[in-house]
Amino acid sequence: MGMPRSAVTQSASGVRHLSPSYAAAFLGLLRAGEVVDRELDRDLREAHGIGLPAFEILLYLGAFSDHGSLRMGQLTAQAPLSQSRVSRVVADLERRGLVRRQAWQDDSRSVVVTITRGGTALLDEASETHLAGLDRVLFSRLTRSEVSELARLTAKVLGDAAPATGAARRRALEG
Amino acid sequence: MGMPRSAVTQSASGVRHLSPSYAAAFLGLLRAGEVVDRELDRDLREAHGIGLPAFEILLYLGAFSDHGSLRMGQLTAQAPLSQSRVSRVVADLERRGLVRRQAWQDDSRSVVVTITRGGTALLDEASETHLAGLDRVLFSRLTRSEVSELARLTAKVLGDAAPATGAARRRALEG
DNA sequence: CAAGATTGAAGTGTCAATCTTG
DNA sequence: CAAGATTGACACTTCAATCTTG
């Protein structure tokens, strides 16, 4: 199985390497991901003082939770960040008064994170920045059907393997 | 211009956010890039003690240069790394005896990096690891035409903006 | 002891300042 | 002063150790 023989060629020096088309797909995927990530992160930092990871956490709390609250474990499951990273980002958000942390009633080992009024306000503003950035670096460059195709291809690449923090994510989604 | 209105919807809480299809393309691109990068980096580190950035530098020297030599500026232009990062990686490679650095004859401000015999040997081995990893995480999951399509879409996203270290890259390619 | 979360140490990367040569 | 490269200080991220509660 695996890649067809034509994917690999031999350079003058004898080193086996990828054919141009395969190299373009590989390098393109890595660099496009980097560029989009970096640009959006920079936009948010310059305009609102928070990075993309912090923005995503506010977004999960503000837009994809029932009452603006999620436990740390749930956040770790959704964000493509390690448990320790989520912990540090949330601690920073709390320092800025954008979220609140409190022990969970049912099991005080868990910590419930709740977005504050100020956090919601920042989220609203930052969402506009984020959407504008996405349009600029990604969506304005593709047709609607190309967006769908990109979604399909990347999903296929990701396959079963859950994004980034695979094991932790799967565990948390089950628990 | 930009994205169609259908790309943005309004959640119960009133926050504007991406429609599922657009979110999938965005998140998919970022996470697929991260996963592929991370896996290939780990493969190389475990098997050969060098990361993906160092591997790419050896590859440029060993497979895509005329006599195994390139100036620092040329390396910076090709690798998606900052000038300072290239400097540190090359310094590390020299410590391990995989490359050699010497002042350039024509202009001793420049440094010429040359891959050593040991570096070439490591490159040969690491290339096999790298190709196997690429097959596992990327190419075995896509058909040949999907690989082409991914290359086309990511190139479109990258557009004029040169990958990562845009300005530096363009400057160096001209000089 | 197991689960949930935090923290210390270390790796990796960037920006800005610096050093050297033209 | 400008160009090429290196270095210092700092930011971000992860792994492993730790702390607390069940």
Side-chain angles (χ1 to χ4, degrees), chain A residues 72-73 84 87-88 101 109-111:
Chain A
M72 291 294 292
S84 62
S87 180
R88 289 189 213 273
R101 280 188 292 189
R109 287 176 303 184
S110 278
V111 172

Side-chain angles (χ1 to χ4, degrees), chain A residues 14-49:
Chain A
V15 179
R16 275 156 41 87
H17 62 84
L18 287 176
S19 70
S21 154
Y22 281 75
F26 162 53
L27 294 174
L29 175 61
L30 260 59
R31 292 181 187 164
E34 279 170 18
V35 166
V36 169
D37 189 345
R38 172 178 321 213
E39 292 273 310
L40 297 178
D41 190 76
R42 195 166 51 73
D43 286 354
L44 288 170
R45 262 177 226 288
E46 288 180 357
H48 310 287

Side-chain angles (χ1 to χ4, degrees), chain A residues 125-157:
Chain A
E125 295 172 17
S127 291
E128 297 303 319
T129 301
H130 183 60
L131 289 171
L134 270 171
D135 186 32
R136 190 184 74 246
V137 303
L138 187 59
F139 298 133
S140 71
R141 295 169 178 274
L142 301 175
T143 67
R144 190 183 299 211
S145 74
E146 286 173 336
V147 170
S148 300
E149 184 66 0
L150 181 59
R152 189 181 73 79
L153 292 177
T154 54
K156 225 177 152 186
V157 170

Side-chain angles (χ1 to χ4, degrees), chain B:
Chain B
M1 288 295 97
M3 58 193 153
R5 282 178 204 81
S6 67
V8 178
T9 60
Q10 197 121 200
S11 77
S13 63
V15 180
R16 276 156 41 86
H17 61 85
L18 287 176
S19 70
S21 155
Y22 280 75
F26 162 52
L27 293 174
L29 176 61
L30 261 59
R31 295 188 182 160
E34 279 171 17
V35 167
V36 169
D37 190 343
R38 172 179 319 214
E39 291 272 310
L40 296 178
D41 191 76
R42 196 166 50 72
D43 286 354
L44 287 170
R45 262 177 226 289
E46 288 181 355
H48 310 287
I50 64 171
L52 191 52
F55 172 77
E56 286 192 17
I57 285 180
L58 288 181
L59 188 63
Y60 289 129
L61 292 172
F64 303 117
S65 73
D66 280 343
H67 302 86
S69 295
L70 288 172
R71 279 173 287 131
M72 290 295 291
Q74 295 174 307
L75 279 175
T76 300
Q78 311 205 33
L81 296 171
S82 66
Q83 192 183 33
S84 61
R85 188 68 201 125
V86 170
S87 180
R88 289 189 211 274
V89 172
V90 168
D92 185 58
L93 287 173
E94 187 178 43
R95 247 173 263 125
R96 300 169 187 236
L98 303 174
V99 304
R100 214 171 40 241
R101 281 189 292 190
Q102 15 180 183
W104 190 32
Q105 296 180 343
D106 297 20
D107 181 343
S108 56
R109 287 177 303 184
S110 277
V111 171
V112 176
V113 185
T114 307
I115 192 168
T116 63
R117 190 174 288 272
T120 303
L122 182 64
L123 174 58
D124 287 351
E125 295 172 16
S127 290
E128 297 303 320
T129 300
H130 184 60
L131 290 171
L134 270 172
D135 186 32
R136 191 184 73 245
V137 302
L138 187 59
F139 298 131
S140 71
R141 295 170 178 274
L142 302 175
T143 66
R144 189 182 300 211
S145 74
E146 286 173 335
V147 170
S148 300
E149 185 66 0
L150 182 59
R152 190 181 73 80
L153 293 177
T154 54
K156 227 178 151 184
V157 169
L158 288 169
D160 304 328
T165 324
R169 182 192 184 87
R170 243 170 287 120
R171 240 178 285 123
L173 286 175
E174 288 158 6

